[in-house]
């Protein structure tokens, strides 16, 4: 199949998608292991920064579905 199905974006830059996945998983791992899985004594600021890193990873993945910018030189 050459096209993305309904609700799916075509990944034009797979390497960028992979970097976004790595960043997102590092963020969600930090969030889970420092925050909710530690109970009430979890470190809230570090957990929320993990969630912010997760969001950055999703943004990077979103950029992988757009064509690369051409720079004029």
């Amino acid at each position: 199949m050459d096209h993305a199905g309904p609700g799916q974006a075509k990944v034009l830059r797979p390497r960028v998608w992979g970097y976004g996945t790595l960043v997102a998983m590092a963020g969600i791992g930090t969030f889970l292991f420092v925050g909710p899985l530690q109970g009430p004594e979890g470190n809230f600021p570090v957990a929320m920064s993990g969630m912010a890193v997760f969001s950055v990873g999703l943004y990077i993945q979103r950029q992988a579905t757009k064509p690369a910018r051409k720079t004029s030189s």
Side-chain angles (χ1 to χ4, degrees), residues 46-71:
V46 175
M48 287 301 107
S49 64
M51 187 56 71
V53 171
F54 173 71
S55 299
V56 169
L58 293 181
Y59 175 77
I60 293 170
Q61 284 182 318
R62 181 71 183 136
Q63 295 306 306
T65 63
K66 298 178 181 176
R69 278 200 265 169
K70 302 290 183 196
T71 57

Side-chain angles (χ1 to χ4, degrees), residues 6-8 14 17 21 26 28-30 32 34 38 46 48 51 53-54 58-59 62 64 72:
Q8 296 177 341
W17 180 271
T21 302
I28 201 67
T30 301
L32 287 174
V34 176
Q38 294 299 318
V46 175
M48 287 301 107
M51 187 56 71
V53 171
F54 173 71
L58 293 181
Y59 175 77
R62 181 71 183 136
S72 59

Side-chain angles (χ1 to χ4, degrees), residues 2-27:
D2 193 30
H3 69 285
Q8 296 177 341
K10 187 181 229 182
V11 176
L12 301 175
R13 297 183 289 165
R15 185 172 297 229
V16 174
W17 180 271
Y19 289 143
T21 302
L22 288 173
V23 171
M25 293 306 105

